[in-house]
């Protein structure tokens, strides 16, 4: 997919982008320094006697650093570009660290850390520093030809932008929630209650919508002039693209095809997602948190939603967009997409693990003269380990949670048996996805229950 390109030629092509990119970041930080200085809202970093160091000089230094990086990129000289590039050892480290198992576990750990230390991460100065680090990392990575081809592909540019927008709005919601939790703890009204005032549809809302419409239209016109549309040759069934990817909003489903049968990932799971979202108002018994942002009053709902949306759905889209290459093989961010690379995975079912690898015997097989009913008995006996495991998972885990956890026992008392059963079923199905992903990557486990005689694989 990726043709050969001379590195010096690539540096010449990318230098113009890097110059404008770092100049924009320099201007952004200079404006941030001016803004916090004007509003006297600078965060104090340290004190030394009467000397007080705030974020104003920090953002000015950051602006100066990006300005120097912009000047370094002028001309596209290989030695100069090398000074604003990620070292080779860090690229190799990230390629290993972003392998599927570590990527998934790292995503879970990062979200857990962000949740537990949310009061620190929602601070504007910390969030701005993290945004600068993200832009800094993106700029350093753009000097790698393989990374630039993936991220700079016209199909993927808006996805990169949407990831930054997702991070901003996630931070904004968490910031408002943490602020409201602090105000509630002090006995003060929430931000929404404090700022509650009557706003008319005309002219307030209509004017805002009109301004937004004009701004978005101007943005799309500039975008269409600056970035060519990703038009390809007419569709040819004899010459399909490799990789052939769905639109970004379906890439999560396409990635799930690696771990589940098509009927499961393409029908059952999407239906459960839709039904689960529709069932939330009927399952929710917590009357707090309506009309205002909060985390403290709705911890379980917040964690469950963020885990399902960010750690699973968005994470699968990122994998499908940036880490899946030809033949749907898994590639690192700085790895060349080689069409000859094939996924080194076996298809091992749980029954094979149990009968062949654990008991060192062959799997139960019905005699040749056996009838249909007897053959099905042998099939069920063969898949008994997987059937028992799924039974314990979907029936035993909910019971254990009620017996061993005060939180789930309280949920059961509040919701009742039926609503609790529906809620825990949706939750267990959601958790089953990362379990199946990790089992696939670490143990090549293809199916927990495999009954090809009935075209049933789980």
């Amino acid at each position: 997919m990726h043709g050969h390109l001379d590195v010096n030629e690539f540096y010449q092509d990318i230098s113009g982008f890097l110059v404008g990119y770092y100049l924009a970041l320099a201007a952004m930080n200079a404006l941030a320094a001016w803004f916090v200085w004007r509003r006297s809202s600078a965060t104090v970093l340290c004190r030394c006697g009467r000397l007080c160091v705030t974020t104003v000089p920090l953002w000015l230094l950051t602006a100066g650093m990006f300005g120097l990086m912009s000047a370094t990129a002028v001309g596209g000289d290989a030695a100069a570009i090398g000074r604003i590039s990620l070292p080779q050892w860090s690229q190799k480290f990230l390629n290993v660290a972003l392998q599927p198992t570590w990527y998934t576990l790292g995503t879970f750990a990062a979200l857990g850390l962000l949740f537990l230390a949310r009061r620190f991460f929602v601070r504007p100065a910390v969030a701005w520093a993290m945004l600068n680090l993200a832009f800094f990392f993106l700029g350093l990575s753009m000097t790698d030809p393989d990374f630039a081809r993936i991220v700079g592909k016209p199909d993927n540019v808006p996805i990169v932008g949407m990831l930054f927008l997702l991070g901003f709005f996630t931070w904004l919601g968490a910031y408002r929630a943490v602020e409201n939790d602090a105000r509630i703890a002090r006995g003060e009204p929430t931000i929404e209650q404090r700022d509650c005032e009557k706003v008319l549809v005309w002219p307030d809302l209509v004017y805002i919508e009109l301004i937004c419409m004009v701004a978005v239209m101007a943005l799309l016109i500039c975008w269409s002039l600056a970035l060519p549309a990703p038009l390809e040759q007419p569709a040819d069934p004899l010459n399909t693209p490799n990789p052939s990817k769905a639109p970004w909003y379906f890439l999560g489903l396409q990635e799930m095809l690696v771990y589940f049968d098509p009927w499961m990932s393409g029908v059952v799971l999407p239906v459960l997602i839709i039904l689960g979202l529709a069932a939330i108002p009927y399952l929710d018994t917590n009357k707090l948190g309506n009309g205002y942002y909060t985390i403290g009053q709705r911890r379980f709902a917040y964690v469950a939603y963020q885990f399902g949306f960010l750690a699973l759905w968005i994470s699968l889209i990122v994998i499908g967009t940036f880490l899946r290459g030809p033949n749907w093989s898994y590639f690192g961010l700085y790895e060349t997409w080689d069409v000859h690379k094939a996924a080194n995975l076996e298809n091992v079912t749980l029954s094979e693990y149990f009968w062949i690898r654990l008991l060192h015997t062959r799997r139960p097989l019905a005699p040749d003269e056996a009838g249909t009913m007897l053959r099905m008995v042998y099939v069920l006996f063969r898949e008994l380990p997987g059937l028992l495991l799924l039974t314990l998972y979907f029936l035993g885990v909910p019971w254990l949670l009620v017996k061993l956890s005060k939180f789930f026992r309280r949920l059961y008392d509040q919701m009742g048996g039926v609503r609790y059963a529906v809620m825990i079923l949706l939750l267990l199905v959601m958790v089953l996805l990362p379990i199946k992903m990790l089992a696939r990557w670490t143990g090549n486990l293809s199916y927990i229950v495999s009954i090809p005689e009935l075209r049933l694989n789980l």
Side-chain angles (χ1 to χ4, degrees), residues 29-48:
N29 280 277
L31 286 174
W34 176 81
F35 179 78
V36 296
W37 174 73
R38 288 282 295 179
R39 294 191 59 183
S40 301
S41 58
T43 302
V44 177
L45 299 176
C46 63
R47 294 180 183 274
C48 184

Side-chain angles (χ1 to χ4, degrees), residues 25-37 54-68 128 132:
L25 294 182
M28 181 183 76
N29 280 277
L31 286 174
W34 176 81
F35 179 78
V36 296
W37 174 73
T54 67
T55 51
V56 173
L58 176 61
W59 305 145
L60 288 176
L61 286 174
T62 304
M65 180 194 69
F66 283 131
L68 289 176
W128 188 258
N132 274 295

Side-chain angles (χ1 to χ4, degrees), residues 73 161 178 183 185 199-200 220 229 263 299 321 360 410 418-419:
V178 169
R183 297 177 68 89
V199 178
L200 300 176
L220 291 177
W263 69 272
R299 285 189 176 88
T321 303
H360 302 288
R410 185 168 64 251
V418 176
R419 286 196 293 183

Side-chain angles (χ1 to χ4, degrees), residues 77-278:
D77 179 68
I81 295 294
R83 290 194 290 270
I84 54 174
S85 303
L86 280 178
Q88 288 293 326
W89 65 265
S90 62
Q91 295 184 12
K92 294 179 180 178
F93 171 78
L94 288 173
N95 282 338
V96 174
L98 289 176
Q99 290 304 302
T101 302
W102 295 113
Y103 170 82
T104 303
L105 294 176
T107 301
F108 297 162
L111 286 177
L113 177 64
L114 290 174
F115 173 75
L116 294 176
R118 58 188 181 274
R119 293 178 181 83
F120 171 77
F121 288 108
V122 298
R123 296 176 182 176
V126 175
W128 188 258
M130 293 175 64
L131 178 64
N132 274 295
L133 287 175
F135 282 127
F136 181 65
F137 170 79
L138 180 61
L140 294 181
S141 300
M142 286 300 292
T143 59
D144 179 78
D146 296 307
F147 182 92
R149 288 190 187 99
I150 299 171
V151 175
K153 188 180 178 182
D155 283 341
N156 294 342
V157 170
I159 300 178
V160 176
M162 285 191 291
L163 288 177
F164 280 97
L165 288 176
L166 175 66
F168 168 74
F169 286 110
T170 301
W171 168 81
L172 181 61
Y175 172 78
R176 297 287 293 268
V178 169
E179 180 66 22
N180 280 340
D181 290 340
R183 297 177 68 89
I184 292 172
R186 297 193 299 265
E188 301 175 4
T190 63
I191 298 175
E192 290 78 9
Q193 294 170 342
R194 182 197 63 186
D195 299 337
C196 182
E197 59 179 290
K198 186 176 181 179
V199 178
L200 300 176
V201 173
W202 174 265
D204 302 287
L205 179 61
V206 176
Y207 277 180
I208 294 174
E209 290 177 342
L210 177 63
I211 294 171
C212 291
M213 181 184 69
V214 173
V216 170
M217 185 179 299
L219 174 63
L220 291 177
I221 292 174
C222 295
W223 191 327
S224 64
L225 294 174
L227 193 67
L231 299 178
E232 299 179 0
Q233 298 297 323
D236 184 359
L238 301 179
N239 184 21
T240 57
N242 187 13
S244 183
K245 294 187 178 182
W248 68 269
Y249 42 84
F250 284 142
L251 277 178
L253 297 178
Q254 188 173 357
E255 178 65 20
M256 284 194 290
L257 288 170
V258 178
Y259 319 104
F260 295 98
D261 250 18
W263 69 272
M264 185 72 176
S265 60
V267 179
V268 176
L269 292 179
V271 169
L272 287 178
I273 292 173
I274 296 172
L275 293 179
L277 293 174

Side-chain angles (χ1 to χ4, degrees), residues 366-377:
D368 295 336
E369 66 277 5
T372 303
M373 293 299 296
L374 184 58
R375 288 181 181 276
M376 287 308 305
V377 171

